[in-house]
Amino acid sequence: MRGLMQDWPMLTHRIIDHAARVHGDREIVTRSVEGPIVRTNYRNLRARALRVAQRLDREGIKLGDRVATIAWNTARHMECWYGIMGIGAVCHTVNPRLFPEQIGWIINHAQDRIVITDLTFVPLLEKIADNLPSVERYIVLTDKAHMPQTTLKNAVAYEDWIAEVDGNFKWKEFDENTAAAMCYTSGTTGDPKGVLYSHRSNVLHSLIANNGDALGATSKDTMLPVVPLFHANSWGIVFSAPAMGTKLVMPGPKLDGESVYELLSTEKVTYTAGVPTVWLMLLQHMEKNKLTLPDLKVVICGGSAMPRSMIKAFVDMGIEVRHAWGMTEMSPLGTVGALQAPYAHLTGEDKLDVLQMQGYPPFMVEMKITDDAGKELPWDGKTFGRLKVKGPAISGAYYRVDTKILDEDGYFDTGDVATMNEHGYMRITDRSKDVIKSGGEWISSIDLENLAVGHPKVAEAAVIGVYHPKWDERPLLIVQLKEGESATREDILSYMDGKIAKWWMPDDVAFVKAIPHTATGKILKTSLRDQFKDYKLPSAAA
Amino acid sequence: MRGLMQDWPMLTHRIIDHAARVHGDREIVTRSVEGPIVRTNYRNLRARALRVAQRLDREGIKLGDRVATIAWNTARHMECWYGIMGIGAVCHTVNPRLFPEQIGWIINHAQDRIVITDLTFVPLLEKIADNLPSVERYIVLTDKAHMPQTTLKNAVAYEDWIAEVDGNFKWKEFDENTAAAMCYTSGTTGDPKGVLYSHRSNVLHSLIANNGDALGATSKDTMLPVVPLFHANSWGIVFSAPAMGTKLVMPGPKLDGESVYELLSTEKVTYTAGVPTVWLMLLQHMEKNKLTLPDLKVVICGGSAMPRSMIKAFVDMGIEVRHAWGMTEMSPLGTVGALQAPYAHLTGEDKLDVLQMQGYPPFMVEMKITDDAGKELPWDGKTFGRLKVKGPAISGAYYRVDTKILDEDGYFDTGDVATMNEHGYMRITDRSKDVIKSGGEWISSIDLENLAVGHPKVAEAAVIGVYHPKWDERPLLIVQLKEGESATREDILSYMDGKIAKWWMPDDVAFVKAIPHTATGKILKTSLRDQFKDYKLPSAAA
């Protein structure tokens, strides 16, 4: 028997309709790419998004067609999202920080028909445009006065383009499972993979984000998403903020400490979200200039692990820190580290211990940790296993990739290795391709690296698994010493001894001039594994 | 093109699975029907709900079968909800405060196969059981020691009943649009009408409720729902609290001021929800005994309008009051009165003015006001019209009733007349059957009544529309004076003069000994209309 409730498809444009109607005067403040701070509100943003939809419709863009954006966080970019999705086209956010060849590969794989770009990226696109046959037209997010000379095909200034229609237009209606947006993940190996969000997943994700223990901003709050709209669905903030009527502050192209501080301060921002690098720049700027942020209540930090000292710096200012973990494939929220009741009373180092974990999953994110055979492991805060996730805003497949990506129970393997504790708090201990498998037991390369860099002479450390005839793999510690320092294998190992289980101790230490990194600053372990693939451990020889 | 996110049906048992896994130790504290305060947690509640599911399955209850509950707010009642819904049966909450014949009519209309009841209602059911042919068995929510002698068919103590299975059971899987729960509305006219919630609507409603501006409790909070589980889906709290990991305090059968105060105080409750009558009893008890509630942060009040003095009493204690409005047909949240940014700075009487409105709709509740012809009216805070609503947790039809209940745009007519202001705040001004239609313009009977009872000699006032040859209808004010007082038509009208628009002034005043009421204390306007159906207004004669 079916329930008798209304059939109300969850479509993203219903969010901006709600915001325009109930929170129409609430502002979206943008540091524009052209320079000045500009202000609009949800009522006007919706009206302009409708023009985008109408103009795309006139351009011949149909249900399911892909429209790319390569742009900073601005109100214009946001209205493009709603306009594109509102006719059932797919809003494909492209990350401008990728290598130009990757950007080209992605646009070609997605077969984008239109590219909407900020002024910043016109030169970049001009270089690759000859190899983008699917693209029919480029829209530059500016007005006539700022429009550059460009070789881009059919290029037009955005303001001129949307001025060609009157805005008297209705959103299209379609099934809630229709594709709404697309974002490619650039893994460290293989081709980028396209994640294809649906209207349903984006709307549900906004509801998840708006519970008080996730992002949790309200209609009284002001949110500054430093996280770019081209990163993992903007962490959902483009949807969650208007759903609540939260005022938005968009930082545009300037993400340095001074510029972010200026907006946080002048706009009295209460919630902000971004990666640790951004907070490091902010904290340095604040410390140097002895500044405070009395209005800021909550900092959400994801993308990579937040150093303990950074958490402490915010906590000491009376600002709540929520460590978040997620993936492009998860829309992206996976866990958020608000303090649950059992931890609410904690202070000092005990509190930092909890805040340093990645948080716990909200309702609608189901998690398990398993061994290599898929057997579930206990949530005891110690045992670590492959982290697998399930939910309505989590990928079930990649765009134009046939490989099955879910296990038999429908879980997606995150590629991370993690512990879960009795309250559902998750701690990432490794990437599953980096964890060292010693005689069937797992050793966290990250934990060993964190320990080794504590040695006063070590600049950076990497741990990889190396072949061992008895244990399959044993850890090799690779060390880059600080400039001008010297140390022996025994110096390093004796420093580590007693701080970890005996069987976790690296079997050897190799010293290198420089540890290699990816473009985004992560240790390039594939290169190290290649370099040390024939390495003979002393323990193996014995 | 479809998005590529996981297929994850929204089923209510996923909520209790989440709570058991991530918030397993969080308590549910109950004032039991037998007397003592008893404690359990989400982990145990889920385990027992699984036994209920398994036991119902063994009883032969199938997908779509109806199982009734007639019970107070207790953990046992809550685990029955999850157990019943978890096999795809329909949890039919029956309101024990209805007349016995109505209860019988409802159970027969729903064709309930099993009735689960508290000890309190065994005598009531014994009286009507002979006329309930669909009911095969009665389960009494108690243990062997407290099980009464009863004539109820196949009666069994709940604890014995669930002890017959081992709990090793899996929830059934089915479509998210499957019926989950049922609640009859007892209108003032006609037969009760069955609202049939789906798993989808209940899950979505829990997400709506958990945004910070709706109910908004978190995993650090403790919620006491005074609102009974048999009233309008428990305002969704049975779903929203475990979805967040909020501790629950269940008041059982004792809803008097002293008992509610005791639980609020000893369990350090931070959020509570109920009707004005309950808060009146609580406030009187607190005032009389000079008591405080330092932990209580938010009082949610719905069911009927909250008097200004009551709002002020809570505000003066530093407690946030959220006026809510909804309907059984809306799962039930329609509007909640958290203060949006434009009102956040208000104090004193200005703040009370805003808090006295019914609040604004959260995302996923769409509203409009229209005239009788269905034309939309402006949101100016003054114009009032029929309030119509749309959303995924709002009724599209009644159970076993063929009448179409949505307009051509898919909106449900609430039967209320309301204004909406520029920030989406709604104020109920009347029931649409009570509003007085004078020459095409509407006059609020409620506003006139509220004004008239301000006269020092008036005990109660009712306003109805009476036939007028020129204006179709004009207001007649019916007054019951305070014991021993006397007043004339002119006394009353001159008191009202100047406080309302001239054309709103009642055309006449009729004095009665007693104004008639319904069983639930509302003015019985049908009876007054009957009594005054041939009333000749002096203005009509002129």
Side-chain angles (χ1 to χ4, degrees):
Chain A
M1 185 162 64
R2 284 173 66 93
L4 293 173
M5 307 313 274
Q6 293 180 17
D7 181 26
W8 190 93
M10 292 184 274
L11 303 173
T12 58
H13 54 250
R14 291 190 188 270
I15 294 176
I16 202 68
D17 286 351
H18 170 78
R21 190 110 206 227
V22 176
H23 308 282
D25 293 332
R26 205 77 78 257
E27 283 185 313
I28 301 103
V29 181
T30 300
R31 185 191 295 282
S32 66
V33 176
E34 294 88 347
I37 305 283
V38 294
R39 311 179 92 86
T40 183
N41 62 28
Y42 284 123
R43 188 179 304 108
N44 294 335
L45 190 141
R46 173 182 179 272
R48 286 166 58 90
L50 270 170
R51 281 176 180 262
V52 173
Q54 185 180 17
R55 190 63 193 81
L56 286 168
D57 187 57
R58 184 183 290 185
E59 205 78 58
I61 298 296
K62 304 275 180 233
L63 192 80
D65 284 349
R66 275 78 62 209
V67 175
T69 67
I70 310 187
W72 301 110
N73 290 13
T74 66
R76 277 190 186 131
H77 190 183
M78 181 168 165
E79 65 204 28
C80 286
W81 279 38
Y82 280 100
I84 295 165
M85 297 180 203
I87 58 166
V90 180
C91 177
H92 173 201
T93 51
V94 178
N95 182 348
R97 291 175 183 152
L98 297 176
F99 296 114
E101 314 83 73
Q102 280 182 304
I103 293 175
W105 189 94
I106 285 170
I107 290 175
N108 286 326
H109 190 266
Q111 294 283 290
D112 298 320
R113 289 185 59 192
I114 287 182
V115 173
I116 299 175
T117 178
D118 264 334
L119 283 165
T120 321
F121 310 113
V122 169
L124 166 76
L125 285 165
E126 283 174 337
K127 277 184 207 134
I128 61 172
D130 282 348
N131 298 314
L132 303 178
S134 67
V135 180
E136 300 161 22
R137 181 158 215 192
Y138 293 83
I139 317 295
V140 183
L141 289 165
T142 192
D143 53 21
K144 197 190 300 288
H146 295 85
M147 184 68 184
Q149 281 285 344
T150 174
T151 59
L152 291 174
K153 199 193 300 179
N154 295 320
V156 60
Y158 175 77
E159 294 295 339
D160 288 348
W161 183 65
I162 61 170
E164 292 170 22
V165 290
D166 62 6
N168 186 7
F169 189 73
K170 277 194 172 156
W171 307 117
K172 308 258 174 177
E173 290 289 325
F174 34 80
D175 184 272
E176 68 185 26
N177 289 301
T178 302
M182 181 181 245
C183 188
Y184 280 75
T185 62
S186 48
T188 45
T189 54
D191 289 328
K193 294 185 288 283
V195 171
L196 198 60
Y197 306 112
S198 66
H199 283 262
R200 174 181 165 107
S201 70
N202 274 341
V203 171
L204 284 178
H205 187 271
S206 77
L207 297 171
I208 297 170
N210 282 331
N211 85 54
D213 286 330
L215 304 189
T218 72
S219 69
K220 279 191 287 293
D221 287 307
T222 299
M223 165 73 89
L224 190 159
V226 190
V227 54
L229 269 68
F230 54 76
H231 266 181
N233 202 24
S234 79
W235 298 2
I237 292 168
V238 162
F239 306 112
S240 62
M244 286 300 287
T246 305
K247 173 180 162 181
L248 272 174
V249 181
M250 295 296 213
K254 294 204 175 168
L255 307 182
D256 61 283
E258 185 177 355
S259 302
V260 169
Y261 175 81
E262 186 198 355
L263 287 177
L264 290 172
S265 176
T266 56
E267 296 299 327
K268 300 190 191 307
V269 170
T270 56
Y271 278 67
T272 185
V275 298
T277 318
V278 163
W279 306 136
L280 190 64
M281 293 189 292
L282 174 71
L283 287 169
Q284 285 171 346
H285 175 76
M286 288 177 71
E287 196 181 5
K288 193 171 142 201
N289 299 285
K290 301 197 192 321
L291 301 170
T292 60
L293 285 169
D295 297 297
L296 188 61
K297 290 190 296 189
V298 176
V299 171
I300 295 137
C301 182
S304 58
M306 203 178 191
R308 192 175 181 97
S309 58
M310 186 182 287
I311 298 174
K312 187 169 182 308
F314 282 117
V315 169
D316 287 350
M317 286 193 274
I319 295 168
E320 185 183 340
V321 174
R322 295 190 188 169
H323 212 164
W325 169 87
M327 300 178 75
T328 303
E329 287 90 336
M330 297 179 75
S331 295
L333 285 182
T335 53
V336 188
L339 291 180
Q340 282 182 23
Y343 296 135
H345 65 285
L346 293 180
T347 56
E349 297 299 317
D350 295 337
K351 181 173 177 175
L352 296 181
D353 285 346
V354 174
L355 293 178
Q356 232 184 328
M357 291 188 282
Q358 270 77 17
Y360 64 94
F363 172 57
M364 287 206 167
V365 176
E366 295 176 355
M367 290 193 159
K368 66 178 177 184
I369 47 173
T370 77
D371 62 17
D372 273 339
K375 195 182 130 250
E376 274 206 63
L377 297 171
W379 289 21
D380 58 13
K382 287 176 298 219
T383 310
F384 52 83
R386 289 171 173 276
L387 180 65
K388 298 177 179 175
V389 292
K390 189 173 176 174
I394 299 173
S395 288
Y398 291 112
Y399 184 59
R400 295 176 58 199
V401 175
D402 284 337
T403 326
K404 194 165 166 292
I405 64 169
L406 306 184
D407 73 11
E408 61 224 28
D409 295 321
Y411 282 80
F412 170 78
D413 191 331
T414 62
D416 279 318
V417 172
T419 62
M420 304 286 308
N421 81 6
E422 71 272 30
H423 300 303
Y425 279 69
M426 190 268 285
R427 190 173 71 84
I428 299 283
T429 58
D430 221 331
R431 290 290 297 166
S432 56
K433 60 181 190 304
D434 294 337
V435 75
I436 290 123
K437 296 175 184 178
S438 169
E441 300 287 338
W442 292 6
I443 298 170
S444 161
S445 66
I446 293 177
D447 283 358
L448 292 180
E449 288 158 7
N450 287 343
L451 178 57
V453 293
H455 189 288
K457 293 181 173 176
V458 173
E460 195 166 11
V463 173
I464 59 170
V466 169
Y467 172 73
H468 189 285
K470 182 173 176 191
W471 304 108
D472 294 331
E473 269 187 4
R474 287 295 300 163
L476 170 66
L477 173 61
I478 300 161
V479 166
Q480 174 184 339
L481 291 172
K482 285 181 183 163
E483 189 102 7
E485 295 286 358
S486 67
T488 64
R489 173 186 189 278
E490 283 66 35
D491 291 343
I492 309 289
L493 292 180
S494 68
Y495 168 80
M496 296 173 77
D497 195 21
K499 300 194 177 81
I500 43 168
K502 267 265 176 281
W503 64 276
W504 277 43
M505 282 293 284
D507 279 31
D508 206 1
V509 182
F511 293 90
V512 295
K513 278 240 149 50
I515 285 178
H517 293 96
T518 65
T520 55
K522 290 178 186 168
I523 294 175
L524 197 57
K525 292 207 177 172
T526 46
S527 160
L528 288 173
R529 278 194 207 98
D530 204 48
Q531 190 181 339
F532 288 93
K533 70 175 186 296
D534 299 322
Y535 195 83
K536 291 281 178 300
L537 292 168
S539 58
Chain B
M1 185 162 66
R2 285 173 65 92
L4 291 173
M5 306 314 274
Q6 294 180 16
D7 181 25
W8 190 93
M10 291 184 273
L11 303 173
T12 58
H13 55 251
R14 290 191 189 269
I15 295 176
I16 202 69
D17 286 352
H18 170 77
R21 191 110 204 228
V22 176
H23 308 282
D25 292 331
R26 205 78 77 258
E27 283 184 313
I28 302 103
V29 181
T30 300
R31 186 191 296 281
S32 67
V33 177
E34 293 88 346
I37 305 284
V38 294
R39 311 179 92 86
T40 183
N41 62 30
Y42 283 123
R43 189 179 302 108
N44 294 333
L45 190 141
R46 174 183 179 270
R48 286 166 58 90
L50 270 170
R51 280 176 181 263
V52 173
Q54 185 179 18
R55 190 64 192 81
L56 286 168
D57 187 57
R58 185 183 289 185
E59 204 79 59
I61 298 297
K62 305 274 180 235
L63 191 81
D65 284 350
R66 273 79 62 209
V67 175
T69 67
I70 310 187
W72 302 111
N73 290 13
T74 66
R76 277 190 186 129
H77 190 182
M78 181 168 164
E79 65 204 27
C80 286
W81 278 39
Y82 280 100
I84 295 165
M85 297 180 204
I87 58 166
V90 180
C91 177
H92 173 201
T93 50
V94 177
N95 182 348
R97 291 176 183 152
L98 298 176
F99 296 114
E101 315 83 73
Q102 281 181 302
I103 294 174
W105 188 95
I106 286 170
I107 290 175
N108 286 326
H109 190 265
Q111 295 281 291
D112 298 320
R113 289 186 59 191
I114 287 182
V115 173
I116 298 175
T117 177
D118 264 333
L119 283 164
T120 321
F121 310 114
V122 168
L124 165 76
L125 285 165
E126 283 174 338
K127 278 186 207 134
I128 61 173
D130 282 350
N131 298 315
L132 305 176
S134 67
V135 180
E136 300 161 23
R137 181 158 214 192
Y138 293 83
I139 317 296
V140 183
L141 288 165
T142 192
D143 54 20
K144 197 192 298 289
H146 295 86
M147 184 68 184
Q149 281 286 342
T150 173
T151 59
L152 291 175
K153 198 194 300 179
N154 295 321
V156 60
Y158 175 77
E159 295 294 339
D160 289 347
W161 184 65
I162 62 170
E164 290 170 22
V165 290
D166 61 6
N168 186 6
F169 189 73
K170 277 193 172 155
W171 307 118
K172 309 257 176 179
E173 291 289 325
F174 34 80
D175 185 271
E176 68 184 26
N177 289 301
T178 303
M182 181 180 247
C183 188
Y184 280 76
T185 63
S186 49
T188 44
T189 55
D191 288 327
K193 293 184 289 281
V195 172
L196 198 60
Y197 306 112
S198 66
H199 283 262
R200 174 181 165 108
S201 69
N202 274 340
V203 170
L204 284 178
H205 186 270
S206 76
L207 296 171
I208 297 169
N210 281 332
N211 85 52
D213 286 329
L215 304 190
T218 72
S219 69
K220 279 191 287 295
D221 287 306
T222 299
M223 165 73 88
L224 191 158
V226 190
V227 53
L229 268 68
F230 54 76
H231 266 180
N233 202 24
S234 77
W235 297 2
I237 293 168
V238 162
F239 305 112
S240 62
M244 286 300 287
T246 305
K247 173 180 161 181
L248 272 175
V249 181
M250 295 295 213
K254 294 203 175 169
L255 306 182
D256 60 283
E258 185 178 353
S259 303
V260 168
Y261 175 81
E262 186 198 355
L263 287 177
L264 290 172
S265 176
T266 57
E267 297 298 328
K268 301 189 190 308
V269 169
T270 56
Y271 278 68
T272 185
V275 297
T277 319
V278 163
W279 306 135
L280 191 64
M281 293 190 292
L282 174 70
L283 287 169
Q284 285 171 345
H285 174 76
M286 289 177 70
E287 195 181 5
K288 193 172 141 199
N289 300 285
K290 302 196 191 319
L291 301 170
T292 60
L293 285 169
D295 297 297
L296 189 60
K297 291 191 295 190
V298 175
V299 171
I300 295 136
C301 182
S304 58
M306 203 177 192
R308 192 176 181 97
S309 58
M310 186 182 287
I311 297 174
K312 187 171 183 307
F314 283 116
V315 169
D316 287 349
M317 286 193 274
I319 295 167
E320 184 183 342
V321 174
R322 295 189 187 170
H323 213 163
W325 169 88
M327 299 179 76
T328 302
E329 288 90 337
M330 297 179 76
S331 298
L333 285 181
T335 53
V336 188
L339 290 180
Q340 282 181 24
Y343 296 136
H345 65 285
L346 293 179
T347 56
E349 298 299 317
D350 294 338
K351 181 173 177 176
L352 296 181
D353 285 347
V354 175
L355 294 177
Q356 231 183 328
M357 291 188 282
Q358 270 77 18
Y360 64 94
F363 171 57
M364 287 207 168
V365 175
E366 295 176 353
M367 291 194 158
K368 65 178 177 183
I369 48 174
T370 76
D371 63 17
D372 273 338
K375 196 182 129 246
E376 275 207 61
L377 298 171
W379 288 22
D380 58 11
K382 288 177 297 221
T383 310
F384 51 84
R386 290 172 173 274
L387 180 64
K388 298 177 181 177
V389 293
K390 188 173 175 175
I394 299 173
S395 288
Y398 292 112
Y399 185 57
R400 295 176 57 199
V401 174
D402 284 336
T403 325
K404 195 164 167 289
I405 64 169
L406 306 184
D407 73 11
E408 61 223 30
D409 295 320
Y411 282 79
F412 170 78
D413 190 331
T414 64
D416 279 317
V417 172
T419 62
M420 303 286 309
N421 81 7
E422 71 272 30
H423 301 302
Y425 279 69
M426 190 268 285
R427 191 173 70 85
I428 298 283
T429 56
D430 220 331
R431 292 289 297 165
S432 56
K433 60 181 189 304
D434 295 337
V435 75
I436 290 123
K437 296 173 183 179
S438 168
E441 301 287 339
W442 293 6
I443 298 170
S444 162
S445 67
I446 293 178
D447 283 359
L448 292 180
E449 288 159 8
N450 287 343
L451 177 57
V453 293
H455 189 287
K457 293 181 174 177
V458 172
E460 196 167 11
V463 173
I464 60 171
V466 169
Y467 173 74
H468 188 285
K470 181 171 176 193
W471 303 108
D472 295 331
E473 271 186 2
R474 286 295 301 162
L476 169 65
L477 172 62
I478 300 161
V479 166
Q480 173 184 337
L481 292 172
K482 286 181 183 162
E483 190 102 6
E485 295 287 358
S486 66
T488 64
R489 173 186 189 279
E490 283 66 33
D491 291 342
I492 308 289
L493 291 180
S494 69
Y495 168 80
M496 296 173 76
D497 195 21
K499 300 193 176 81
I500 43 170
K502 267 265 177 279
W503 63 277
W504 276 44
M505 282 292 284
D507 279 31
D508 206 2
V509 182
F511 294 89
V512 295
K513 279 241 151 48
I515 285 180
H517 292 96
T518 66
T520 54
K522 290 177 185 168
I523 294 174
L524 196 57
K525 292 206 176 171
T526 46
S527 160
L528 287 173
R529 278 192 207 101
D530 204 46
Q531 190 181 338
F532 289 92
K533 71 174 185 295
D534 299 322
Y535 196 82
K536 291 279 178 301
L537 292 168
S539 58

